[in-house]
Amino acid sequence: LAWSFQLHMAKPEPAIFLHVLKELGSRAEETLFLDDKRVNIQTAQALGFKAIQFSTVERLRADLRDAGLESELPLP
C-alpha cells in the first residue's frame, strides 16, 4: 500500500508511480493501473503503464477484454 500523505506525494505526480513500481519490483510496461481520473491515466501511460480509466464495472470488463487481459485476471 502506498499512502500519499505518508509519502508526501500524490497522483498525478510521476514520483508516486515510480515509488510504487520500486516497491512492487515491477516495470511499468508489466503493470496495470486503474483509476477514475483521466489525468492520472495520462501520467501512468506517459510512464509506460498499461492504464485503464474506470467508469463502471461493465466498461472495465470490456476494457480488460479489449486489452487482452481477460486470461490474466479473474473477471467477475
Side-chain angles (χ1 to χ4, degrees):
L1 298 174
W3 300 103
S4 59
F5 74 93
Q6 291 175 330
L7 298 170
H8 305 286
M9 59 179 104
K11 299 175 292 184
E13 296 172 26
I16 196 163
F17 291 86
L18 299 174
H19 171 82
V20 170
L21 286 177
K22 182 178 175 188
E23 291 295 311
L24 290 173
S26 182
R27 295 186 327 256
E29 60 271 10
E30 63 188 19
T31 306
L32 176 62
F33 176 75
L34 301 174
D35 200 281
D36 62 337
K37 294 185 179 173
R38 186 73 196 140
V39 66
N40 297 335
I41 295 297
Q42 291 169 330
T43 300
Q45 289 172 329
L47 293 170
F49 285 75
K50 297 174 189 170
I52 296 175
Q53 186 171 359
F54 179 83
S55 59
T56 67
V57 172
E58 294 77 19
R59 181 75 251 158
L60 176 60
R61 278 192 201 109
D63 288 343
L64 290 169
R65 284 188 197 102
D66 291 348
L69 297 172
E70 71 275 8
S71 64
E72 297 183 46
L73 299 170
L75 298 179

